[in-house]
Structure formats: structure tokens, C-alpha cells
């Protein structure tokens, strides 16, 4: 029996233990296996993100290095660049709206050292939901705030209410609305004449940005932020504000996140699964591929009620996982795509760049 199990068995609380003793007995990777070896700590500062996060990883790393900012805050500040960018139609200001033309944003963050998290779902009028999620984490004993409550919480803390719909996204929404069918709440058909070139691949893109960060003390933190599924039913939340789904970190092991079809990341507990696979010894890329394979199995079954989820022997949707291990190893894998076509952003001592994702179901 581990020391921790013995303390619980004896009914002894850990509150009075010296921090050093507590730390010795609570390495993340020793929790469920007395024989496992804790992952060695990283040296240096590192951030990874989805491909839209080149600026994000550079900023997150700089903040950790130059201001000693904790990784979760550095990640939250890093994604603020994308939340404020009207040209990214999957996140924050200029994100695609719900079916009523209202932008509803989802975000969460998680702090490795305290194993604490916060999130907001379907929040309106607030450009930086990741910062609100960080306040939920730091200033409350709750994890999830949604809708009007999340908005009011943000206003209470001084955030400004602003219109997040841009002319570009209003026009895309109007075009979608003019073409929608009455039962358009199932999987959409491919739009052969999209209102905007950005919609050519996905008529209802999920977009999103995830960022995981690691500092020179081997502490981890992460955030995911999104406008979610385009033209969603009002109130729909995806995986991004759900801990274990769109993001997860365990300071003893690593950090992970997801972009793409949120429903699939939710139904698989995807980001939690990636971290647990790393705990078991997978490299980050192997862990991401494993989670995608699990999603694929689940999607084949789910296609019994939603045929579009499984097409030509592969899932019919995009999903990407990103993973960063405590020792600084990182990787990513995407469900679909031509080999070499999917990228993710990295900033470490070797520079700021895009790296290539592995592909679970390569296409030609
Ligand atoms: N992954 C973003 C969403 O599904 O909302």
C-alpha cells in the first residue's frame, strides 16, 4: 500500500503534514502505480498550441521567462492575442455566432501546481473568456460558470461588454441562415458555395485555440478558448470549457488539449485520456494517437444514429489533440489530413515554429 493509501486508510488527514512530506508522497505518476517512475522535470520554458497560436506560444514563453509568470497565466495571456483577433473566426472577437447570430464563447484553464481549474461556457459580450475562466479558478470555489451568470461575473470583475460579431461573421451568418433547412440541427451538408473561403473545408468550423505551457520548475498550465461550433443551438457548449475534455493537466505528468469536434472530445474524455496515457509511458504523440483511435471506435458506433460521423472507413470530422509532457517532450495528432498537412505551434529554446502533427487516418 502506498503512503498515501495508508494515510487515507487510517483516516489521517494530510492537512498537518509538512509540505515536503506531502510532495514526496504525491507525485502524479506514483499515485496509481507504486512501480512507476515520476517523469523527470524539464529544463527551460516551453509552450505549445494549435496552429493558430504562433504568436500565442511566443508570448506565453516570453511571459514565463521574463516575468516569471505561472504557466497557466502565461497561456491565458498568450491566447488573448487570438481572442482579440477579428481575423480568426473560431475564437473570441470575430468568432462565428450561434444560430441566432449571437457570439457565445467557451473557455477553461487549468493550473498544474494547484490542480485547480475554472471555466466559462456560452458567455456573451466578453472578448477574453480565458481571463474570466482564470478568475473563476482563482477567486471562486466553483469550476464552471455559464451564460448570464458567467457574463455578470465578468462584468463584476471589470470586463467590458462589447459586440463580438464583426461585419465578416455577420455576413457569413446571414448566408448560412438564408440556406438553412428546418431540421438543420443535425450534421450539416457540405456547403459547395461558402460565404467565406475560410468555410470551404468545414461548413460549420469548430476552430478553437489550445495552449499548454511548462516552466523551468516543470510546472504546467493550460487553456482552451473558442467561439465553438458555428451556428450552434444557443446554449450549446463544446469540449473547450469542460475539464478533461478540451483540456487537462496533471503537474506530475503533463498537459493536453483538443481542437475540432467538441462532442467527440467530450464523449471520449479526450484530454484526460491523453494525460493518462502519458502517465502510463506513452510519448505525447503516441498518447494523442491513442485517444484519436478511441474516438474513432466510438464514432463508428455512433454512426448508427448519425451516419455522417463515419465515412469511408474513417471518422467524418476533424479533431486534433496536443500534448506536452513534464519532461518537455511534446507532440500532436490529427484525425484526418494529408501527411504533413496538419501543424501545431511550438516555442522553446530552439525557437518559435510550426511542427507537424501525426495523422490517425491519412488522406491522399
Ligand atoms: N472544440 C470546440 C467546440 O467543439 O466547441
Amino acid at each position: 500500500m502506498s503512503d498515501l493509501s495508508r494515510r487515507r486508510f487510517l483516516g489521517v488527514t494530510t492537512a498537518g503534514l509538512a509540505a515536503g512530506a506531502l510532495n514526496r508522497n504525491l507525485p502524479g505518476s506514483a499515485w496509481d502505480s507504486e512501480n512507476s517512475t515520476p517523469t523527470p522535470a524539464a529544463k527551460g520554458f516551453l509552450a505549445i498550441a494549435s496552429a493558430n497560436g504562433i504568436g500565442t506560444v511566443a508570448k506565453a514563453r516570453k511571459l514565463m521567462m521574463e516575468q516569471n509568470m505561472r504557466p497557466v497565466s502565461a497561456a491565458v495571456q498568450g491566447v488573448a492575442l487570438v481572442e482579440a483577433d477579428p481575423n480568426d473566426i473560431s475564437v473570441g472577437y470575430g468568432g462565428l455566432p450561434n444560430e441566432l447570430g449571437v457570439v457565445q464563447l467557451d473557455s477553461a484553464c487549468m493550473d498544474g501546481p494547484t490542480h485547480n481549474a475554472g471555466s466559462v461556457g456560452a458567455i456573451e459580450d466578453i472578448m477574453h473568456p480565458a481571463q474570466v475562466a482564470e478568475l473563476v479558478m482563482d477567486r471562486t470555489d466553483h469550476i464552471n460558470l455559464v451564460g448570464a451568470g458567467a457574463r455578470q461575473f465578468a462584468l463584476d470583475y471589470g470586463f467590458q461588454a462589447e459586440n463580438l460579431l464583426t461585419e465578416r461573421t455577420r455576413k457569413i451568418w446571414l448566408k448560412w441562415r438564408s440556406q438553412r433547412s428546418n431540421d438543420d440541427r443535425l450534421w450539416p451538408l457540405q456547403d459547395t458555395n461558402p460565404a467565406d473561403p475560410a468555410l470551404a473545408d468545414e461548413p460549420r468550423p469548430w476552430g478553437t485555440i489550445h495552449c499548454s505551457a511548462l516552466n523551468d520548475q516543470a510546472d504546467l498550465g493550460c487553456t482552451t478558448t473558442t467561439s465553438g461550433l458555428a451556428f450552434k443551438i444557443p446554449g450549446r457548449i463544446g469540449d473547450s470549457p469542460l475539464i478533461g475534455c478540451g483540456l487537462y493537466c496533471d503537474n506530475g505528468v503533463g498537459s493536453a488539449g483538443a481542437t475540432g469536434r467538441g462532442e467527440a472530445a467530450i464523449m471520449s474524455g479526450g484530454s484526460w485520456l491523453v494525460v493518462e496515457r502519458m502517465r502510463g509511458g506513452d510519448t505525447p504523440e503516441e498518447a494523442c494517437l491513442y485517444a484519436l483511435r478511441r474516438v474513432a471506435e466510438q464514432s463508428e458506433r455512433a454512426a448508427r444514429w448519425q451516419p455522417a460521423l463515419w465515412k469511408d472507413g474513417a471518422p467524418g470530422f476533424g479533431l486534433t489533440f496536443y500534448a506536452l509532457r513534464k519532461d518537455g517532450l511534446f507532440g500532436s495528432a490529427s484525425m484526418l489530413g494529408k501527411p504533413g498537412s496538419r501543424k501545431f505551434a511550438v516555442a522553446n529554446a530552439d525557437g518559435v515554429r510550426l511542427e507537424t502533427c501525426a495523422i490517425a487516418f491519412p488522406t491522399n
Side-chain angles (χ1 to χ4, degrees):
M1 184 183 290
S2 70
D3 287 346
L4 181 74
S5 307
R6 190 176 302 113
R7 282 203 305 278
R8 293 186 63 184
F9 181 69
L10 294 173
V12 177
T13 74
T14 56
L17 293 174
L22 191 61
N23 286 339
R24 270 201 307 281
N25 291 323
L26 282 171
S29 53
W31 172 271
D32 56 357
S33 167
E34 292 176 22
N35 297 319
S36 67
T37 311
T39 310
K43 293 186 177 62
F45 298 88
L46 207 161
I48 66 166
S50 38
N52 51 350
I54 274 284
T56 294
V57 291
K59 182 176 174 187
R61 183 166 187 267
K62 191 169 157 66
L63 289 170
M64 288 190 290
M65 284 176 65
E66 294 180 4
Q67 297 184 24
N68 198 27
M69 192 177 277
R70 63 181 179 171
V72 64
S73 301
V76 165
Q77 291 303 317
V79 299
L81 293 174
V82 181
E83 289 176 326
D85 180 359
N87 295 317
D88 190 316
I89 59 173
S90 70
V91 178
Y93 175 57
L96 285 166
N98 66 17
E99 66 180 22
L100 299 180
V102 177
V103 180
Q104 291 189 325
L105 305 177
D106 295 340
S107 183
C109 65
M110 190 156 184
D111 177 46
T114 56
H115 204 69
N116 197 7
S119 97
V120 290
I123 188 172
E124 295 177 11
D125 303 331
I126 305 294
M127 189 183 290
H128 294 294
Q131 292 172 22
V132 186
E134 190 177 8
L135 278 169
V136 174
M137 177 178 79
D138 286 339
R139 299 303 188 102
T140 80
D141 188 35
H142 304 336
I143 307 289
N144 308 110
L145 294 183
V146 300
R151 181 181 185 278
Q152 187 58 52
F153 177 84
L155 295 177
D156 290 348
Y157 276 91
F159 287 81
Q160 299 297 310
E162 349 186 23
N163 177 18
L164 303 180
L165 195 68
T166 59
E167 267 309 285
R168 179 182 175 194
T169 49
R170 192 178 65 80
K171 284 184 180 145
I172 296 171
W173 168 69
L174 283 175
K175 166 119 193 276
W176 169 82
R177 198 178 64 165
S178 72
Q179 295 178 336
R180 64 178 292 190
S181 65
N182 289 335
D183 62 354
D184 187 54
R185 288 175 167 191
L186 279 177
W187 194 266
L189 296 173
Q190 183 71 39
D191 187 347
T192 52
N193 184 23
D196 191 291
L199 302 180
D201 286 342
E202 297 265 16
R204 286 184 174 188
W206 289 277
T208 306
I209 181 165
H210 168 78
C211 179
S212 283
L214 174 74
N215 68 12
D216 65 343
Q217 306 300 303
D219 284 332
L220 291 151
C222 60
T223 185
T224 302
T225 183
T226 188
S227 51
L229 176 66
F231 321 128
K232 59 197 173 187
I233 298 171
R236 177 266 188 191
I237 59 168
D239 57 321
S240 307
L242 299 180
I243 307 306
C245 303
L247 76 169
Y248 190 71
C249 82
D250 181 316
N251 218 45
V253 179
S255 179
T259 60
R261 178 175 161 81
E263 281 72 10
I266 295 169
M267 294 301 278
S268 59
S271 294
W272 179 85
L273 181 57
V274 171
V275 171
E276 289 306 301
R277 288 295 300 190
M278 291 195 287
R279 186 195 305 277
D282 275 4
T283 66
E285 186 177 290
E286 287 167 350
C288 294
L289 283 168
Y290 177 87
L292 290 172
R293 279 198 296 275
R294 287 283 290 274
V295 170
E297 287 166 15
Q298 294 160 2
S299 303
E300 197 172 4
R301 289 199 292 278
R304 289 176 188 163
W305 70 271
Q306 167 76 291
L309 291 177
W310 190 256
K311 280 196 300 201
D312 305 326
F317 54 85
L319 180 66
T320 303
F321 288 112
Y322 313 86
L324 172 57
R325 214 166 61 179
K326 189 177 177 69
D327 62 0
L329 199 63
F330 54 83
S332 170
S334 239
M335 188 68 90
L336 303 168
K338 291 182 185 163
S341 64
R342 305 281 180 200
K343 305 285 180 187
F344 67 107
V346 178
N348 63 3
D350 297 331
V352 179
R353 64 207 181 269
L354 289 176
E355 295 250 348
T356 302
C357 306
I359 305 280
F361 292 85
T363 53
N364 295 323

